[in-house]
Structures are given as C-alpha cells and as structure tokens.
Amino acid sequence: MLDDAFTYGGWAFSLVAVGVWIWLARRAFPNFDSFVRGFDDELQLGASSEERARNARWRQVRQAAMALTAVAALCLSIGFAIPD
C-alpha cells in the first residue's frame, strides 16, 4: 500500500510537472520583435522594474517546475524500490 502511494503520487507529480514544462516551453518562444529586443538589451540595463519583476516571476515558475520534477522522481524511485 505504501509503495502504491509513492508510485501513484509520483505519477501525479510527474504529470503536473510535465504540464508546467510544456506551458513554459510554449511561453519560451517569443515573437520576433521581443526576440530582437532581448538581444538589444541582454543585461536588462534599460529594463523597468516591472520587467525585472516579471523575469523574477518566470524564474520562480522555472524553479517550481524543477522542484516538481525532483519530487516526482523521488516519489517514483521510492515507490518502485519498495517491494510488493
């Protein structure tokens, strides 16, 4: 029973993590104008505080996706390691 909880919990976490990664991948491809603007100001020296805050939020979403992936891998490995 404990192995099933870890295994199915890991599968649930992995599905959520895959969804977040797919959402991030769809958002990662900008339109051409923002792509060119990103190369013009790579260090964000001219960025407003709103743009810096938006980038900080994206960083938090990426960190959450990485954490979900790690939790899913840990739960799945524990679930598969516990004998039936």
Side-chain angles (χ1 to χ4, degrees), residues 55-77:
N55 287 337
R57 280 185 296 235
W58 281 113
R59 192 173 307 117
Q60 288 176 343
V61 170
R62 285 192 307 265
Q63 289 173 347
M66 288 186 282
L68 276 171
T69 304
V71 168
L74 179 67
C75 288
L76 283 171
S77 64

Side-chain angles (χ1 to χ4, degrees), residues 1-4 7 77-84:
M1 184 167 141
L2 187 61
D3 64 330
D4 288 337
T7 304
S77 64
I78 291 172
F80 289 138
I82 296 174
D84 288 335

